[in-house]
């Protein structure tokens, strides 16, 4: 697979110039996104801003702002678990379950989680819910499976298309819990893969990955790393099954803290022709503090 990254120059019109990395939210339709934090003099979010309050210019010409939405909905987390060949080889079922339960215990309760297994086939174990007991029951039914490859790309794509509504106000998040198992998805060409990456960004998805390395990596782990970096997520390697618990606890902690940091931002979508510089201004009250971000990228 190829790795995709597109960089554009972005100029803040509030008196400071900066360079950040932006990624279009469609491969063909030229749309871009920014996240805007606008705080009043007391440090509280300024509510009620709309697309009409945002002014975006491309090469000094104003372009339409498609939407500006206060993106403070809870996370809707698809937990995709590989329980196939490599987990079976290291007898890792109990350690995997302990890690998944630690993740459920640590993640703040307002966020919904759906549990899916992606070894040999894609199976919904528990639909999206805030009921941690139901999710723990689903975790208890996951067993290592011999002879089962991971269905990674198909799993991500199918879960996104079938389980996430584009009109949902939640923040869509994928957590991939993997081994360096062989990829068993159908044939994906570079154009199809690229389109999936742009679709994830366009839908506002963040992907995080925890991967058990037993043999130095695989096509699936390389793909997971690419998707994670492209969407601004966190990628964690472990070298023994006993590492699942600490890594997934750490990930849940950081996800909760990061949500608190970014849940007061507006997501602004605008027309963005290729090979152009972008500037953005905000109509707001005097004394307001405004910061702009290219995405909801988690600090590494």
């Amino acid at each position: 697979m190829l790795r995709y990254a597109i960089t554009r120059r972005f100029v803040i019109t509030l008196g400071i110039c900066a360079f950040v990395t932006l990624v279009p939210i469609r491969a063909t339709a030229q749309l871009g996104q920014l996240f805007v934090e606008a705080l009043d003099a007391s440090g509280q979010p300024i509510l009620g801003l709309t697309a009409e309050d945002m002014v975006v210019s491309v090469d000094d010409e104003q372009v339409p702002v498609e939407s500006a939405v206060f993106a403070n909905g809870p996370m809707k987390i698809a937990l995709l678990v590989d329980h196939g060949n490599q987990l079976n080889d290291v007898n890792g079922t109990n350690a995997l379950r302990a890690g998944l339960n630690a993740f459920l215990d640590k993640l703040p309760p307002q966020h919904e989680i759906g549990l899916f297994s992606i070894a040999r086939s894609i199976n919904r174990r528990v639909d999206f819910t805030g009921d941690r007991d139901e999710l723990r029951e689903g975790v208890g039914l996951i067993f290592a499976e011999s002879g089962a490859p991971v269905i990674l790309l198909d799993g991500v794509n199918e879960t996104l298309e079938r389980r996430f509504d584009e009109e949902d106000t939640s923040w869509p998040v994928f957590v991939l819990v993997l081994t360096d198992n062989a990829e068993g998805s159908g044939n994906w060409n570079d154009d199809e893969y690229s389109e999936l990456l742009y679709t994830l960004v366009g839908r506002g998805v963040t992907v995080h990955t925890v991967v058990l390395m037993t043999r130095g990596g695989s096509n699936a782990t390389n793909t997971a790393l690419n998707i994670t970096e492209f969407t601004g997520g966190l990628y964690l390697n472990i070298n023994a099954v006993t590492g699942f618990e600490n890594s997934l606890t750490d990930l849940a902690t950081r996800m909760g803290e990061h949500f608190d940091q970014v849940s007061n931002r507006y997501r602004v979508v605008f027309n963005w022709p290729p090979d152009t510089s972008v500037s953005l201004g905000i109509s707001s009250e005097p004394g307001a503090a405004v910061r702009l971000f290219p995405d909801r990228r988690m600090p590494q």
Side-chain angles (χ1 to χ4, degrees):
M1 295 292 182
L2 298 177
R3 295 183 62 186
Y4 299 86
I6 295 180
T7 303
R8 294 288 188 270
R9 187 174 63 184
F10 164 62
V11 184
I12 301 175
T13 60
L14 303 174
I16 302 174
C17 292
F19 295 95
V20 299
T21 299
L22 291 180
V23 177
I25 67 173
R26 291 288 187 275
T28 51
Q30 296 299 324
L31 295 176
Q33 70 175 353
L34 287 166
F35 288 85
V36 178
E37 178 186 81
L39 306 179
D40 63 21
S42 65
Q44 296 302 307
I46 298 173
L47 303 179
L49 296 177
T50 68
E52 295 180 355
D53 298 304
M54 312 291 177
V55 178
V56 176
S57 297
V58 172
D59 285 346
D60 298 324
E61 292 189 10
Q62 188 171 331
V63 298
V65 177
E66 300 293 327
S67 63
V69 178
F70 193 58
N72 67 334
M75 289 184 284
K76 181 178 178 179
I77 301 165
L79 186 56
L80 272 59
V81 181
D82 168 23
H83 56 103
N85 283 339
Q86 301 307 111
L87 190 72
N88 182 73
D89 288 348
V90 296
N91 194 26
T93 295
N94 289 337
L96 173 64
R97 290 176 182 170
L100 295 173
N101 283 325
F103 180 84
L104 299 177
D105 291 340
K106 196 66 177 180
L107 192 78
Q110 72 266 37
H111 305 297
E112 286 193 334
I113 302 171
L115 179 63
F116 304 85
S117 59
I118 54 170
R120 195 190 307 278
S121 60
I122 306 160
N123 292 294
R124 183 191 66 187
R125 301 298 184 118
V126 181
D127 206 352
F128 290 98
T129 180
D131 187 337
R132 299 299 194 256
D133 289 336
E134 183 181 359
L135 287 159
R136 290 187 191 93
E137 289 179 9
V139 167
L141 298 177
I142 292 178
F143 295 86
E145 187 173 350
S146 177
V150 60
I151 312 299
L152 178 59
L153 279 175
D154 287 346
V156 170
N157 185 60
E158 180 178 308
T159 304
L160 179 65
E161 294 304 317
R162 294 187 179 183
R163 308 298 179 186
F164 287 88
D165 185 344
E166 289 193 62
E167 304 304 318
D168 198 334
T169 58
S170 299
W171 176 4
V173 176
F174 281 68
V175 173
L176 310 178
V177 183
L178 307 175
T179 70
D180 51 359
N181 198 356
E183 168 68 283
S185 296
N187 293 325
W188 284 69
N189 63 40
D190 287 339
D191 288 341
E192 292 168 335
Y193 179 54
S194 177
E195 187 60 34
L196 174 61
L197 293 179
Y198 283 112
T199 299
L200 289 167
V201 172
R203 300 277 287 273
V205 175
T206 301
V207 179
H208 305 292
T209 299
V210 174
V211 58
L212 170 65
M213 290 291 196
T214 65
R215 56 192 180 95
S218 66
N219 287 341
T221 58
N222 292 337
T223 298
L225 175 61
N226 191 14
I227 294 174
T228 301
E229 291 180 341
F230 200 80
T231 61
L234 190 65
Y235 186 91
L236 301 175
N237 275 334
I238 59 175
N239 296 313
V241 292
T242 52
F244 274 128
E245 187 167 358
N246 285 340
S247 293
L248 284 164
T249 299
D250 179 50
L251 177 59
T253 301
R254 295 173 70 174
M255 287 172 63
E257 293 172 349
H258 185 59
F259 174 82
D260 292 340
Q261 295 167 1
V262 304
S263 59
N264 63 350
R265 299 175 186 174
Y266 289 85
R267 182 173 183 247
V268 179
V269 176
F270 58 93
N271 286 349
W272 184 21
D275 301 319
T276 53
S277 60
V278 179
S279 62
L280 182 145
I282 302 172
S283 301
S284 60
E285 60 199 56
V290 177
R291 292 196 298 168
L292 308 178
F293 303 87
D295 51 32
R296 291 181 284 204
R297 185 167 299 273
M298 180 180 284
Q300 298 300 307

